[in-house]
Each structure stands twice: as structure tokens, then as C-alpha cells.
Amino acid sequence: MNDTIDEFESIFRRADKQVLSFVDIPISNLAFVTDSSPADSEAALQTVQPLLSRLESVDNWRIIAGERYHTVAELLAEIDNQRTDLIVTYRHLQERSFIPQHSLGVYLDVLTQTTSIPVLVLPGTAAQPVSVSGAL
């Protein structure tokens, strides 16, 4: 009889989880990270902005183009240089020759693991970006 009670209690405790609730987090500073030239990055941001139209609270759309960083440490320094609430980027930044299918790439791996800033990953890769205009 004791075994049955312990089993029931164990199942009951596993079902007892902290209730999550929706919290609206204002995003006012967005960093758009690319490995392109500043002009190409600006054009890409113009394409992405309609996709993010629900982010009405964004005051500062900052572009971090490829020429502003050459290492992961430089990219992290660029992001930390100004307050950032959201990072928008794509897979395989600064990688052209070897692109594994099932990886985010070195830069994105580090961004998602070392910063507490949310990262929005766009479809495609740096070498083969996917147009987001079809998603609008």
C-alpha cells in the first residue's frame, strides 16, 4: 500500500509546475547583425523591418555590418557598446567556405550561449539567405 501512495505522490509532484504568464517586454534597441557591406545591410534591414512591424516600441534600429567585426570578441564588443534588447541575424555569419547544414555557425553559437539578449534568427544562411518578403 505504501508503494502505491509514493507512486501517486511522485506523479502528482511532477505535474506541479510553476505557472508561466505573459509579460510584454518592451524592445527599444534592436541590433541587426550582418556580414555584408553597410549598403547591403541597410537594404536587408529595409526588407526585414516589415516582418518585425509588431515591434512598435523599437526606437533604435542599429546595423552592425560585417566590416565592424572580424572576430567573435569584436562582435560581442559591438553589441555591448550600446544597450541592445534584441539581436536579429542569420546563420553562418562570416562563413563562406564550409557551411554545415545542422549548425548555427560560430558567431551565432556564441551569441546564443554567452549573452542574455534574445536572438531572432532569420531563415537561411549568410551564404544563401532566404527572402523574408514571402512571410509578410
Side-chain angles (χ1 to χ4, degrees):
M1 181 79 178
N2 262 350
D3 290 338
T4 307
I5 292 173
D6 289 341
E7 183 179 335
F8 174 77
E9 182 180 10
S10 176
I11 292 170
F12 182 77
R13 288 184 187 261
R14 277 190 299 220
D16 184 31
K17 304 283 185 207
Q18 180 181 2
V19 177
L20 300 177
S21 59
F22 175 78
V23 176
D24 192 14
I25 300 171
I27 297 174
S28 58
N29 296 296
L30 184 142
F32 183 57
V33 180
T34 74
D35 56 5
S36 303
S37 69
D40 289 345
S41 298
E42 182 66 42
L45 179 60
Q46 297 300 321
T47 303
V48 169
Q49 278 180 322
L51 179 68
L52 304 174
S53 62
R54 301 215 44 189
L55 298 178
E56 299 160 349
S57 60
V58 176
D59 296 325
N60 182 21
W61 296 80
R62 180 170 50 123
I63 294 175
I64 301 176
E67 64 187 27
R68 291 182 50 194
Y69 66 95
H70 300 323
T71 65
V72 174
E74 289 177 357
L75 177 58
L76 291 173
E78 281 290 330
I79 289 170
D80 290 340
N81 195 19
Q82 294 181 16
R83 184 170 165 246
T84 303
D85 300 318
L86 178 67
I87 300 167
V88 177
T89 190
Y90 42 80
R91 295 170 50 213
H92 304 295
L93 289 169
Q94 304 284 19
E95 296 179 22
R96 294 277 183 246
S97 57
F98 177 69
I99 299 178
Q101 282 186 316
H102 307 291
S103 168
L104 296 174
V106 175
Y107 287 84
L108 200 49
D109 280 344
V110 173
L111 279 177
T112 57
Q113 294 176 26
T114 62
T115 68
S116 60
I117 303 167
V119 179
L120 174 64
V121 182
L122 297 171
T125 65
Q128 296 176 319
V130 174
S131 173
V132 294
S133 59
L136 300 176

